[in-house]
Amino acid sequence: MASSSFLLHQLANTFVSKPQGFCSGIGSAPKPRFNLGRDRENGLRPIRVATVETETFPLFQSTAAEESSSELEPADPDFYKIGFVRSVRAYGVEFKESPEGFGVYASKDIEPRRRARVVMEIPLELMITIRQKSPWMFFPDFVPIGHPIFDVINSTDPETDWDLRLACLLLYAFDREDNFWQLYGDFLPAADECTSLLLAKEEDLVELQDPDLASTMRQQQQRVLEFWERNWHSGVPLKIKRLAREPERFIWATSIAQTRCIGMQTRIGALIQDSNMLIPYADMLNHSFQPNCFLHWRAKDRMLEVMTNAGQGIKKGEEMTIDYMPGQNNNMLMQRYGFSSPVNPWDAIQFSGDSRIHLDSFLSVFNISGLPEEYYHASQFSEDGDSFVDGAVIAAARTLPTWSDTDVPAIPSAERKAARELQDECQKMLAEFPTTSEQDQKLLADSLSEARTTFGTAIKYRMHRKMFARKIIKALDIYQERILF
């Protein structure tokens, strides 16, 4: 590894060479810099936390066009400087902005190694952390003893209100003149740029075309609003009142806490604890179902490491990604982060009937092997290189009712009937939607300016649900063609 003096010289050259006054958005005027604690109404730089990076691994091929590299621009030099001064280190990566927001990209080829490689280091002093269970403890301990924010945090439900506690600490950090987050907050998305459904209006929730998800988000919105009303009434001390004078500000802070929180087990000295953490710079890593990086806590010097996967090479210009919530369907991703994916290998459809497809025969169509919990594509045994297998097909295999290994062998007539019944049920699901996926695509194309809002997110979510149902119908067509005839 290079010496620290060399890294200092290299980073200094990087800052000088980067263009000043870069603004988000193509062809837009530069946005003014500002202090988040003083002026929240100015425009903020969008953060792409709700984008799914699709990998070239054949299991997860996407129909979406890849992001054009011409839309990527180097991040604002101040974005680097504020972290560099506070001992943030990056090795072989660079931050870039696009109309969709920030992302982390490899600045050079990273060769596969037997051991994981560190590409970013963020010290504990820059984070906002709080213990997941009572008694509440947080490092760094930047809240003075006796501050009334402790009473607000203690009023939360220990089981469900982790996001409210983190939001309180985030707002307090914005109020501290010497806190790093007052500077870093310039790069957080404003309320109209954040895709969290906590910020969605009623008309946006209706656009989800999912009554259950819409109802869940209304309850979450009400929970956050009631908490603000209990703790930000007219009689509270000014130290608390000025943190969130309006409910919209607290709801925004909660949405930031939800979409950027990283849950990790940390060790500080002899204390081992599970913590909810807001980690600057690491929160710029976007999501992928096949990530090339992971997070690691280095206890000896209280440092969060972003590391590349052992044995995996990364090409220059390739995006660095992590998996936000392994094993979760699109419904849960929408609740927490405000995004969905058409190739989510963990998505599911709840079938109402008792029709079943034989486990072995269905999976063999797509060269899928393994147990129901660990399906994988046996591509090395594929003769025709079937590219139809992607995350949605794996998800279909997980969600379709199947015969077990102990049941009688598949009977072609019964399999054919079962497949058609499942197709009919998918067709009924599609017919219940007020719009088709083609209409949704046209609506998104006609309102490109709203594609990164909660409205655009809602349209994408319902479109992905329809695409998933149609993928199952197509999969069952292939099943009948190859197996039953």
Coordinates of all heavy atoms in Angstrom, one line a residue, residues 398-454:
R398 N -39.4 -19.8 -7.1 CA -39.6 -19.7 -5.7 C -41.0 -19.6 -5.3 O -41.4 -20.1 -4.2 CB -38.8 -18.6 -5.1 CG -37.3 -18.7 -5.2 CD -36.6 -17.4 -4.6 NE -35.2 -17.4 -4.8 CZ -34.3 -18.1 -4.1 NH1 -34.7 -18.8 -3.1 NH2 -33.0 -18.0 -4.4
T399 N -41.8 -18.9 -6.1 CA -43.2 -18.5 -5.7 C -44.2 -19.5 -6.2 O -45.3 -19.6 -5.7 CB -43.5 -17.1 -6.2 OG1 -44.7 -16.7 -5.6 CG2 -43.7 -17.1 -7.7
L400 N -43.9 -20.3 -7.3 CA -44.9 -21.2 -7.8 C -45.2 -22.4 -6.9 O -44.2 -22.9 -6.4 CB -44.5 -21.7 -9.2 CG -44.6 -20.7 -10.4 CD1 -43.9 -21.3 -11.6 CD2 -46.0 -20.3 -10.7
P401 N -46.4 -22.8 -6.7 CA -46.7 -24.0 -6.0 C -46.1 -25.2 -6.7 O -46.2 -25.3 -7.9 CB -48.2 -24.1 -6.0 CG -48.7 -22.7 -6.3 CD -47.7 -22.1 -7.2
T402 N -45.4 -26.0 -6.0 CA -44.7 -27.2 -6.6 C -45.0 -28.5 -5.9 O -45.3 -28.5 -4.7 CB -43.2 -26.9 -6.6 OG1 -42.7 -26.8 -5.3 CG2 -42.8 -25.7 -7.4
W403 N -44.8 -29.6 -6.7 CA -44.8 -30.9 -6.0 C -43.5 -31.0 -5.2 O -42.5 -30.5 -5.6 CB -44.9 -32.0 -7.1 CG -46.1 -32.0 -8.0 CD1 -46.2 -31.5 -9.2 CD2 -47.4 -32.5 -7.7 NE1 -47.4 -31.7 -9.7 CE2 -48.2 -32.3 -8.8 CE3 -47.9 -33.1 -6.5 CZ2 -49.5 -32.7 -8.8 CZ3 -49.2 -33.5 -6.6 CH2 -50.0 -33.3 -7.7
S404 N -43.6 -31.7 -4.2 CA -42.4 -32.0 -3.4 C -41.7 -33.3 -4.0 O -42.3 -34.0 -4.8 CB -42.7 -32.3 -1.9 OG -43.4 -33.5 -1.8
D405 N -40.5 -33.5 -3.6 CA -39.7 -34.7 -4.0 C -40.3 -36.0 -3.6 O -40.1 -37.0 -4.3 CB -38.3 -34.6 -3.5 CG -37.5 -33.4 -4.1 OD1 -37.9 -33.0 -5.2 OD2 -36.6 -33.0 -3.5
T406 N -41.1 -36.0 -2.6 CA -41.7 -37.2 -2.1 C -43.1 -37.5 -2.8 O -43.6 -38.6 -2.6 CB -42.0 -37.1 -0.6 OG1 -42.8 -36.0 -0.3 CG2 -40.6 -36.9 0.1
D407 N -43.6 -36.6 -3.6 CA -44.9 -36.8 -4.2 C -44.6 -37.7 -5.5 O -43.5 -38.0 -5.9 CB -45.5 -35.5 -4.7 CG -46.0 -34.7 -3.5 OD1 -46.4 -35.3 -2.5 OD2 -46.0 -33.5 -3.6
V408 N -45.8 -38.2 -6.0 CA -45.7 -39.0 -7.2 C -45.1 -38.3 -8.4 O -45.2 -37.0 -8.4 CB -47.1 -39.5 -7.5 CG1 -47.7 -40.4 -6.4 CG2 -48.1 -38.4 -7.8
P409 N -44.5 -38.9 -9.3 CA -44.0 -38.2 -10.5 C -45.1 -37.4 -11.2 O -46.3 -37.7 -11.1 CB -43.5 -39.4 -11.4 CG -43.2 -40.5 -10.4 CD -44.3 -40.4 -9.4
A410 N -44.6 -36.4 -11.9 CA -45.5 -35.6 -12.7 C -46.3 -36.3 -13.7 O -45.8 -37.1 -14.5 CB -44.7 -34.4 -13.3
I411 N -47.6 -36.0 -13.8 CA -48.5 -36.6 -14.8 C -48.7 -35.5 -15.8 O -49.2 -34.4 -15.5 CB -49.8 -37.1 -14.2 CG1 -49.5 -38.1 -13.1 CG2 -50.7 -37.6 -15.3 CD1 -50.8 -38.5 -12.4
P412 N -48.4 -35.7 -17.1 CA -48.4 -34.6 -18.1 C -49.8 -33.9 -18.1 O -49.8 -32.7 -18.2 CB -48.2 -35.3 -19.4 CG -47.3 -36.5 -19.0 CD -47.8 -36.9 -17.7
S413 N -50.9 -34.6 -18.1 CA -52.2 -34.0 -18.1 C -52.4 -33.1 -16.9 O -53.0 -32.0 -17.0 CB -53.3 -35.1 -18.2 OG -53.3 -35.9 -17.1
A414 N -52.0 -33.6 -15.7 CA -52.2 -32.8 -14.5 C -51.3 -31.6 -14.5 O -51.7 -30.5 -14.1 CB -51.9 -33.7 -13.3
E415 N -50.1 -31.7 -15.0 CA -49.2 -30.6 -15.1 C -49.7 -29.5 -16.1 O -49.6 -28.4 -15.8 CB -47.8 -31.1 -15.6 CG -47.0 -31.9 -14.6 CD -46.6 -31.0 -13.4 OE1 -45.6 -30.3 -13.5 OE2 -47.3 -31.0 -12.4
R416 N -50.2 -30.0 -17.2 CA -50.8 -29.1 -18.2 C -51.9 -28.3 -17.6 O -52.0 -27.0 -17.7 CB -51.2 -29.8 -19.4 CG -51.8 -29.0 -20.5 CD -52.1 -29.8 -21.7 NE -52.6 -29.1 -22.8 CZ -53.0 -29.6 -24.0 NH1 -52.9 -30.9 -24.2 NH2 -53.5 -28.8 -24.9
K417 N -52.8 -28.9 -16.9 CA -53.9 -28.3 -16.2 C -53.5 -27.3 -15.2 O -53.9 -26.2 -15.1 CB -54.9 -29.3 -15.6 CG -56.1 -28.7 -14.9 CD -56.9 -29.8 -14.2 CE -58.1 -29.1 -13.5 NZ -58.9 -30.2 -12.8
A418 N -52.5 -27.7 -14.4 CA -52.0 -26.9 -13.3 C -51.3 -25.6 -13.9 O -51.5 -24.5 -13.4 CB -51.0 -27.6 -12.4
A419 N -50.5 -25.8 -14.9 CA -49.8 -24.7 -15.6 C -50.8 -23.6 -16.1 O -50.7 -22.4 -15.9 CB -48.9 -25.1 -16.7
R420 N -51.9 -24.2 -16.7 CA -52.9 -23.2 -17.3 C -53.7 -22.5 -16.2 O -54.0 -21.3 -16.3 CB -53.9 -24.0 -18.2 CG -53.2 -24.5 -19.5 CD -54.2 -25.2 -20.4 NE -53.6 -25.5 -21.7 CZ -54.2 -26.2 -22.6 NH1 -55.4 -26.7 -22.4 NH2 -53.6 -26.4 -23.8
E421 N -53.9 -23.2 -15.1 CA -54.6 -22.6 -14.0 C -53.8 -21.4 -13.4 O -54.3 -20.4 -13.0 CB -55.0 -23.6 -12.9 CG -56.1 -24.5 -13.3 CD -56.4 -25.5 -12.2 OE1 -55.7 -25.5 -11.1 OE2 -57.4 -26.3 -12.3
L422 N -52.5 -21.7 -13.3 CA -51.6 -20.6 -12.8 C -51.5 -19.5 -13.7 O -51.5 -18.3 -13.3 CB -50.2 -21.2 -12.5 CG -50.1 -22.2 -11.4 CD1 -48.7 -22.8 -11.3 CD2 -50.4 -21.6 -10.0
Q423 N -51.5 -19.8 -15.0 CA -51.5 -18.7 -16.0 C -52.8 -17.9 -15.9 O -52.8 -16.6 -16.0 CB -51.3 -19.3 -17.4 CG -49.9 -19.7 -17.7 CD -49.8 -20.3 -19.1 OE1 -50.6 -21.1 -19.6 NE2 -48.7 -20.0 -19.8
D424 N -53.9 -18.6 -15.8 CA -55.2 -17.9 -15.7 C -55.2 -16.9 -14.4 O -55.7 -15.8 -14.5 CB -56.3 -18.9 -15.6 CG -56.6 -19.6 -16.9 OD1 -56.1 -19.1 -17.9 OD2 -57.2 -20.7 -16.9
E425 N -54.6 -17.4 -13.3 CA -54.6 -16.6 -12.1 C -53.7 -15.4 -12.3 O -54.1 -14.3 -11.9 CB -54.1 -17.4 -10.9 CG -54.3 -16.7 -9.6 CD -54.2 -17.6 -8.4 OE1 -54.1 -18.8 -8.6 OE2 -54.3 -17.1 -7.3
C426 N -52.6 -15.5 -13.0 CA -51.8 -14.4 -13.4 C -52.5 -13.4 -14.3 O -52.4 -12.2 -14.1 CB -50.5 -14.8 -14.0 SG -49.3 -15.6 -12.9
Q427 N -53.3 -13.9 -15.2 CA -54.0 -13.1 -16.1 C -55.1 -12.3 -15.4 O -55.3 -11.1 -15.6 CB -54.7 -13.9 -17.2 CG -53.7 -14.5 -18.2 CD -53.1 -13.6 -19.2 OE1 -53.3 -12.4 -19.1 NE2 -52.4 -14.1 -20.2
K428 N -55.7 -12.9 -14.4 CA -56.7 -12.2 -13.6 C -56.0 -11.1 -12.7 O -56.6 -10.0 -12.6 CB -57.4 -13.2 -12.6 CG -58.3 -14.2 -13.4 CD -58.9 -15.2 -12.4 CE -59.8 -16.2 -13.1 NZ -60.4 -17.2 -12.2
M429 N -54.8 -11.4 -12.2 CA -54.1 -10.3 -11.5 C -53.8 -9.2 -12.4 O -54.0 -8.0 -12.0 CB -52.8 -10.9 -11.0 CG -52.9 -12.0 -9.9 SD -51.3 -12.6 -9.4 CE -51.8 -13.9 -8.3
L430 N -53.4 -9.4 -13.6 CA -53.1 -8.3 -14.6 C -54.4 -7.6 -14.9 O -54.4 -6.3 -15.1 CB -52.5 -8.9 -15.8 CG -51.0 -9.4 -15.6 CD1 -50.6 -10.1 -16.9 CD2 -50.1 -8.3 -15.3
A431 N -55.5 -8.3 -15.1 CA -56.8 -7.6 -15.4 C -57.3 -6.7 -14.3 O -58.0 -5.8 -14.6 CB -57.8 -8.7 -15.8
E432 N -56.9 -7.0 -13.1 CA -57.4 -6.2 -12.0 C -56.7 -4.8 -11.9 O -57.2 -3.9 -11.2 CB -57.2 -6.9 -10.7 CG -58.1 -8.2 -10.5 CD -57.8 -9.0 -9.3 OE1 -56.9 -8.6 -8.6 OE2 -58.6 -9.9 -9.0
F433 N -55.5 -4.7 -12.5 CA -54.9 -3.4 -12.5 C -55.6 -2.4 -13.4 O -56.0 -2.8 -14.5 CB -53.4 -3.6 -13.0 CG -52.5 -4.2 -12.1 CD1 -52.1 -5.5 -12.2 CD2 -52.0 -3.5 -11.0 CE1 -51.2 -6.1 -11.4 CE2 -51.1 -4.1 -10.1 CZ -50.8 -5.4 -10.3
P434 N -55.7 -1.2 -13.0 CA -56.4 -0.2 -13.9 C -55.7 0.1 -15.2 O -56.3 0.6 -16.1 CB -56.5 1.1 -13.0 CG -56.3 0.5 -11.6 CD -55.4 -0.6 -11.7
T435 N -54.3 -0.1 -15.2 CA -53.5 0.2 -16.3 C -52.7 -1.0 -16.7 O -52.5 -1.9 -15.9 CB -52.6 1.4 -16.1 OG1 -51.7 1.1 -15.0 CG2 -53.4 2.7 -15.8
T436 N -52.2 -1.0 -17.9 CA -51.3 -2.0 -18.4 C -49.8 -1.6 -18.2 O -49.6 -0.4 -18.0 CB -51.5 -2.4 -19.9 OG1 -51.2 -1.2 -20.7 CG2 -53.0 -2.8 -20.1
S437 N -48.9 -2.5 -18.3 CA -47.5 -2.1 -18.2 C -47.1 -1.2 -19.4 O -46.2 -0.3 -19.2 CB -46.6 -3.4 -18.2 OG -46.8 -4.2 -19.3
E438 N -47.7 -1.4 -20.6 CA -47.4 -0.5 -21.7 C -47.8 0.9 -21.4 O -47.1 1.9 -21.7 CB -48.0 -1.0 -23.0 CG -47.5 -2.3 -23.5 CD -47.9 -3.5 -22.8 OE1 -48.8 -3.4 -22.0 OE2 -47.3 -4.6 -23.0
Q439 N -49.0 1.1 -20.8 CA -49.5 2.4 -20.4 C -48.6 3.0 -19.4 O -48.4 4.2 -19.4 CB -50.9 2.3 -19.9 CG -51.9 1.9 -21.0 CD -53.3 1.7 -20.5 OE1 -53.5 1.2 -19.4 NE2 -54.4 2.0 -21.2
D440 N -48.1 2.2 -18.4 CA -47.2 2.7 -17.4 C -45.9 3.2 -18.1 O -45.4 4.3 -17.7 CB -46.9 1.6 -16.4 CG -48.1 1.2 -15.6 OD1 -49.1 2.0 -15.5 OD2 -48.1 0.1 -15.0
Q441 N -45.4 2.5 -19.0 CA -44.1 2.9 -19.7 C -44.3 4.2 -20.4 O -43.5 5.1 -20.4 CB -43.7 1.8 -20.6 CG -43.1 0.6 -19.9 CD -42.7 -0.5 -20.9 OE1 -43.3 -0.7 -22.0 NE2 -41.8 -1.4 -20.5
K442 N -45.5 4.3 -21.1 CA -45.7 5.6 -21.8 C -45.9 6.7 -20.8 O -45.4 7.9 -21.1 CB -47.0 5.4 -22.6 CG -47.3 6.6 -23.5 CD -48.6 6.4 -24.3 CE -48.8 7.6 -25.3 NZ -48.9 8.9 -24.6
L443 N -46.5 6.5 -19.7 CA -46.7 7.5 -18.7 C -45.3 8.0 -18.1 O -45.1 9.2 -17.9 CB -47.6 7.0 -17.5 CG -47.9 8.0 -16.4 CD1 -48.7 9.2 -17.0 CD2 -48.8 7.3 -15.3
L444 N -44.4 7.1 -17.9 CA -43.1 7.4 -17.5 C -42.3 8.2 -18.5 O -41.6 9.2 -18.2 CB -42.3 6.2 -17.1 CG -42.6 5.5 -15.8 CD1 -41.8 4.2 -15.6 CD2 -42.2 6.5 -14.6
A445 N -42.5 7.8 -19.8 CA -41.8 8.5 -20.9 C -42.3 9.9 -21.1 O -41.6 10.8 -21.4 CB -42.0 7.7 -22.2
D446 N -43.6 10.1 -20.8 CA -44.2 11.4 -21.0 C -44.0 12.3 -19.8 O -44.2 13.6 -19.9 CB -45.8 11.3 -21.1 CG -46.1 10.6 -22.4 OD1 -45.3 10.6 -23.3 OD2 -47.3 10.1 -22.5
S447 N -43.4 11.8 -18.7 CA -43.2 12.6 -17.5 C -41.8 12.3 -17.0 O -41.6 11.9 -15.8 CB -44.2 12.4 -16.4 OG -44.3 11.0 -16.1
L448 N -40.8 12.5 -17.8 CA -39.4 12.2 -17.4 C -39.0 13.0 -16.2 O -38.1 12.5 -15.4 CB -38.5 12.4 -18.6 CG -38.5 11.4 -19.7 CD1 -37.6 11.8 -20.9 CD2 -38.1 10.0 -19.2
S449 N -39.5 14.2 -16.1 CA -39.1 15.1 -15.0 C -39.5 14.5 -13.6 O -39.0 14.9 -12.6 CB -39.6 16.5 -15.2 OG -41.0 16.5 -15.2
E450 N -40.5 13.6 -13.6 CA -41.0 13.1 -12.4 C -40.5 11.6 -12.2 O -41.0 11.0 -11.3 CB -42.5 13.1 -12.4 CG -43.1 14.5 -12.5 CD -44.6 14.5 -12.3 OE1 -45.1 13.8 -11.4 OE2 -45.3 15.2 -13.1
A451 N -39.6 11.2 -13.0 CA -39.2 9.8 -12.9 C -38.5 9.5 -11.6 O -38.5 8.4 -11.1 CB -38.3 9.4 -14.1
R452 N -37.8 10.5 -11.0 CA -37.1 10.3 -9.8 C -37.8 10.7 -8.5 O -37.3 10.9 -7.5 CB -35.8 11.1 -9.9 CG -34.9 10.8 -11.1 CD -34.4 9.4 -11.1 NE -33.6 9.1 -12.2 CZ -34.0 8.5 -13.3 NH1 -35.3 8.1 -13.4 NH2 -33.2 8.3 -14.4
T453 N -39.1 10.9 -8.7 CA -40.0 11.3 -7.6 C -40.7 10.1 -7.0 O -40.7 9.0 -7.6 CB -41.0 12.4 -8.0 OG1 -41.8 11.9 -9.0 CG2 -40.2 13.6 -8.6
T454 N -41.5 10.3 -6.0 CA -42.3 9.2 -5.4 C -43.4 8.8 -6.4 O -43.8 7.7 -6.5 CB -43.0 9.6 -4.1 OG1 -43.7 10.9 -4.3 CG2 -42.0 9.8 -3.0

